[in-house]
Amino acid sequence: MSGRRALRAVLVDLSGTLHIEDTAVAGAQEALSRLRQAAVAVRFVTNTTKECKRNLLERLRRLNFDLQEEEIFTSLSAARRLVEQNHQRPLLLVEDSALEDFAGLDTSNPNAVVVGLAPQHFNYQTLNTAFRLVLEGAPLVAVHKARYYQRGDGLALGPGPFVAALEYASGRSAVVVGKPQETFFTQVLSELGCSPGEAVMIGDDARDDVGGAQNAGMRGILVRTGKYRAGDESRISPGPYLTCDSFPDAVDHLLKDHLL
Amino acid sequence: MADSSWTSSAESLKGVILDLCGVLYDSGEDGGTPIPGSVEAVKRLKASDLKLRFCTNETQASRDKFVAKLQKMGFDISVCEVFSPAPAAVAVLKDRGMRPHLLVYDGLLSEFESVDQTNPNCVVVGDAAGKFTYENLNDAFRVLIGLEKPVLFALGKGRYYKEADGLSLDVGPYMKALEYACDVEAEVIGKPSSAFFHSVLSDMGLQPHQVMMVGDDLVNDVGGAQLCGMKGLQVRTGKYRPGPSPVWPGSGRGAEEMGSRGRWAMC
C-alpha cells in the first residue's frame, strides 16, 4: 500500500452501493455514520435522470441514511452546472419529476438542449424542435447516454439512442455530463474545492463509477454489491485501487488506512 | 456554375434520374407544393431523347398515392417510372425469408401487404414521422434486442428533409437510435445504396456513366449516385443548405451546383 495521502472527499454511488431498490445494503447506514466522524466531505453521486434530489433524499432517509439534500450530486446537477457556467437557456427534455433540479434557470428562447430520460418528450414534434435548435448551433448536453434500462414491463430505451439520433441529424456532438465522463467528477469536486488526488469514489459499476473516477485522477473502490459481477475488476484498466465486499468494508479500509 | 467538362459529359448522357422531394416539390402539411419551373422542366426532359426515371426515398406514402399527388400538381409521371425503397425492401425480405416488424408511416403499410409479418425476425424502419413515438420505437427496439441475430433494415438513411415549416427529422436519426440501442448496423434499402441505384439503371438499360442523378441531398442523392459511377447534380432547393459541405469520400467529378430552381444544364 502506498504511503498515506490526505483524503478530503469521499464520493459514494447510491443504487447498488448504499441500497438495492428499497433495501439498504447491510450495515451501510452505520458505516456512513462512522465515515462522517472523520474529517472528510461526503457526496452522494448518481446518474439518475428521472428523479430530482428531493425524491432521492426521501428514499434514502426512509432507509435510515443520514444525509442532506445538498450532499447529493446527480447527472442532472452536472447538466445544470454546465448550462449555468455557459450562461445558456436550455430546452429541457427531462421528466417533470426532474425539472425541480433546474428551477431558477431561464428557459425562454432556448439556446441549448439538455437531454435526460424523458419518454414523454421523445416524440416526433419535440425532437424536431430540439434538432432544429442544435442544427443552428445550440449545444447539446446529454445527461448520460445509457442505451436502455429495466422498466417494470421490460427493457426500455434510455436517453442514449435519442442523443445519437440528434447527433446524427445535426452533425454535432453532445457533451455528456453523467458518469463515467470526467466532467461529472470534476464538477462535483470543484463544488467541494478539492483536487482529484484528494478524493476517492466508492461504487458498484466498474466502468462508470471506478473507471470514470480513476480516469479523472481519483482513486476508485469497487464494491461487490448491486450490478457487480465476478471479474468486473479486470474489465477496467488500470484496475480498481481496491475491490471489497461492500460499502461498510470500503469505509473500514478508508478509516484504517487514510483517515485515522 | 457549369465548367467546361460539361460539354463532354452532356454528349455521353443518355438518361436522367430525378429525386422528387426537394427537387420537383417541397413537402408540407397540404401535401406539398411544386418548386417553380419543375413541371415544365420534366416536360422538356420527357420531350428530349433522354430516358427518365424518378428515384425517391419517400416512405410516408405508397407509390400509387404519391404519384397521384404529383400528377395532381401537374407532373407527367407514372408509377412504373418511380423507384422507391418499400418495393425494394419487399423484394429483399422475400428473398431472404425475413418477417418484418414494421416501424413505418401508416400510408406505407399497403406496400407490405404481401409480406408475412407474423413472428418477426427483423425490423424495418421508414420515415414514420408522427408515428415515431417513444412507445413505437420501444416496441421496435424490443423486437430487435430479443433476437439472437438482430437485423435492422432502414428505408434510406437521410438526416432530415424540408417541410413547409422548416427542417424535419428523416428516417436516418431513428435508424441511428435503434442502431445505438441494440449495437447493430442497419442495412440501408433505398438511396444511397448502390444496389438501389443499380436496379434503376438496369431498368433503364443504361451504364452508370451515361446517367445523371439530380438531387438536393449531397450525400444520399449526389454522393450515392457518384459512388456508382453516375454523374451527380445538386440543386439548391429543398434541403440544400449553403456552407461547407460534409466531407464525402470517393467523389469523382464533384457535384455541380445549379443556380435557379427547376432548370438543369441539359434542358
Side-chain angles (χ1 to χ4, degrees), chain B residues 49-125:
Chain B
D49 290 334
L50 296 167
K51 288 197 184 177
L52 185 61
R53 294 290 183 276
F54 303 89
C55 202
T56 177
N57 267 8
E58 163 64 58
T59 52
Q60 281 195 25
S62 65
R63 268 171 311 162
D64 290 335
K65 289 262 155 58
F66 71 74
V67 167
K69 181 178 78 175
L70 287 163
Q71 285 168 345
K72 272 201 9 216
M73 286 187 209
F75 288 102
D76 178 4
I77 182 175
S78 56
V79 172
C80 61
E81 295 168 326
V82 176
F83 288 75
S84 66
V90 168
V92 168
L93 293 169
K94 287 180 174 170
D95 189 51
R96 286 160 58 172
M98 306 301 284
R99 299 178 305 278
H101 171 94
L102 296 174
L103 179 51
V104 302
Y105 207 65
D106 284 344
L108 199 69
L109 290 171
S110 59
E111 296 263 26
F112 292 90
E113 261 158 19
S114 65
V115 181
D116 179 7
Q117 293 168 43
T118 59
N119 194 24
N121 57 7
C122 69
V123 166
V124 171
V125 61

Side-chain angles (χ1 to χ4, degrees), chain B residues 13-65:
Chain B
L13 204 63
K14 299 257 187 302
V16 174
I17 303 176
L18 296 179
D19 176 36
L20 294 178
C21 185
V23 174
L24 299 189
Y25 77 100
D26 276 327
S27 69
E29 276 289 318
D30 54 350
T33 20
I35 288 170
S38 301
V39 173
E40 295 70 34
V42 171
K43 284 203 175 91
R44 289 211 299 278
L45 276 169
K46 286 217 163 177
S48 75
D49 290 334
L50 296 167
K51 288 197 184 177
L52 185 61
R53 294 290 183 276
F54 303 89
C55 202
T56 177
N57 267 8
E58 163 64 58
T59 52
Q60 281 195 25
S62 65
R63 268 171 311 162
D64 290 335
K65 289 262 155 58

Side-chain angles (χ1 to χ4, degrees), chain B residues 26-257:
Chain B
D26 276 327
S27 69
E29 276 289 318
D30 54 350
T33 20
I35 288 170
S38 301
V39 173
E40 295 70 34
V42 171
K43 284 203 175 91
R44 289 211 299 278
L45 276 169
K46 286 217 163 177
S48 75
D49 290 334
L50 296 167
K51 288 197 184 177
L52 185 61
R53 294 290 183 276
F54 303 89
C55 202
T56 177
N57 267 8
E58 163 64 58
T59 52
Q60 281 195 25
S62 65
R63 268 171 311 162
D64 290 335
K65 289 262 155 58
F66 71 74
V67 167
K69 181 178 78 175
L70 287 163
Q71 285 168 345
K72 272 201 9 216
M73 286 187 209
F75 288 102
D76 178 4
I77 182 175
S78 56
V79 172
C80 61
E81 295 168 326
V82 176
F83 288 75
S84 66
V90 168
V92 168
L93 293 169
K94 287 180 174 170
D95 189 51
R96 286 160 58 172
M98 306 301 284
R99 299 178 305 278
H101 171 94
L102 296 174
L103 179 51
V104 302
Y105 207 65
D106 284 344
L108 199 69
L109 290 171
S110 59
E111 296 263 26
F112 292 90
E113 261 158 19
S114 65
V115 181
D116 179 7
Q117 293 168 43
T118 59
N119 194 24
N121 57 7
C122 69
V123 166
V124 171
V125 61
D127 169 19
K131 267 186 76 176
F132 278 132
T133 61
Y134 178 80
E135 290 307 328
N136 285 346
L137 274 160
N138 219 33
D139 287 343
F141 157 67
R142 284 177 177 181
V143 168
L144 281 172
I145 203 85
L147 293 170
E148 205 178 298
K149 192 179 172 311
V151 174
L152 173 63
F153 294 105
L155 304 180
K157 59 172 203 178
R159 293 155 66 201
Y160 53 83
Y161 52 78
K162 179 169 184 264
E163 297 214 282
D165 67 332
L167 300 177
S168 297
L169 294 169
D170 198 347
V171 59
Y174 290 99
M175 170 195 80
K176 282 288 170 187
L178 290 172
E179 284 187 328
Y180 182 84
C182 303
D183 195 21
V184 293
E185 202 176 314
E187 292 182 45
V188 177
I189 299 178
K191 301 180 285 177
S193 125
S194 16
F196 186 69
F197 285 118
H198 281 295
S199 70
V200 186
L201 292 170
S202 126
D203 185 71
M204 293 164 100
L206 292 174
Q207 294 300 307
H209 70 272
Q210 299 173 309
V211 178
M212 170 166 312
M213 168 85 204
V214 181
D216 63 327
D217 187 317
L218 188 64
V219 170
N220 294 294
D221 297 329
V222 174
Q226 290 187 166
L227 276 181
C228 289
M230 291 189 263
K231 302 177 205 346
L233 186 75
Q234 183 181 29
V235 287
R236 291 197 199 109
T237 48
K239 71 161 72 96
Y240 168 83
R241 280 161 56 87
S245 306
V247 174
W248 180 250
S251 43
R253 300 271 184 97
E256 294 287 340
E257 288 193 15

Side-chain angles (χ1 to χ4, degrees), chain A residues 11-249:
Chain A
L11 307 193
V12 186
D13 174 48
L14 293 179
S15 172
T17 303
L18 287 188
H19 70 100
I20 318 266
E21 303 272 315
D22 290 317
T23 310
V25 165
Q29 300 93 328
E30 186 270 337
L32 178 59
S33 302
R34 284 189 292 124
L35 183 63
R36 287 194 183 288
Q37 284 158 29
V40 281
V42 180
R43 284 294 181 270
F44 303 92
V45 297
T46 176
N47 256 5
T48 182
T49 42
K50 286 185 65 143
E51 296 179 279
C52 64
K53 289 195 273 195
R54 191 172 44 82
N55 287 346
L56 295 170
L57 179 71
E58 277 161 12
R59 182 196 293 135
L60 289 162
R61 282 193 174 159
R62 269 201 304 273
L63 296 176
N64 295 316
F65 285 102
D66 163 33
L67 77 167
Q68 306 301 318
E69 192 173 316
E70 53 269 19
E71 294 174 316
I72 300 176
F73 188 88
T74 71
S75 40
L76 293 170
S77 325
R80 188 209 169 101
R81 271 180 71 87
L82 187 66
V83 163
E84 277 178 320
Q85 277 160 6
N86 296 331
H87 308 289
Q88 285 157 353
R89 299 179 304 279
L91 173 72
L92 293 168
L93 301 190
V94 301
E95 278 269 349
D96 290 346
S97 56
L99 276 177
E100 215 179 277
D101 284 350
F102 291 90
L105 289 181
D106 180 5
T107 56
S108 66
N109 195 26
N111 59 5
V113 175
V114 173
V115 181
L117 177 59
Q120 88 273 27
H121 292 313
F122 293 154
N123 57 67
Y124 188 65
Q125 292 75 14
T126 309
L127 283 174
N128 258 355
T129 305
F131 156 63
R132 290 171 185 180
L133 285 170
V134 176
L135 187 67
E136 292 306 320
L140 177 59
V141 178
V143 178
H144 63 79
K145 282 189 78 170
R147 291 182 164 151
Y148 50 84
Y149 67 105
Q150 185 70 44
R151 203 165 71 173
D153 63 338
L155 292 179
L157 293 168
F162 298 96
V163 173
L166 289 172
E167 287 181 315
Y168 176 75
S170 64
R172 309 202 194 275
S173 291
V175 172
V176 185
V177 298
K179 295 183 285 177
Q181 299 301 316
E182 196 177 319
T183 180
F184 179 83
F185 298 99
T186 53
Q187 290 276 12
V188 64
L189 291 176
S190 90
E191 241 187 33
L192 293 173
C194 168
S195 75
E198 301 166 314
V200 71
M201 166 84 200
I202 305 173
D204 65 320
D205 188 319
R207 196 195 65 169
D208 287 3
D209 295 331
V210 178
Q214 295 193 155
N215 192 50
M218 300 167 55
R219 276 161 290 169
I221 299 180
L222 181 63
V223 288
R224 296 190 186 98
T225 50
K227 68 162 69 101
Y228 171 86
R229 294 290 174 270
D232 277 354
E233 55 268 44
S234 38
R235 294 203 181 95
I236 57 167
S237 178
Y241 164 74
L242 181 70
T243 304
C244 53
D245 282 343
S246 66
F247 175 69
D249 301 304

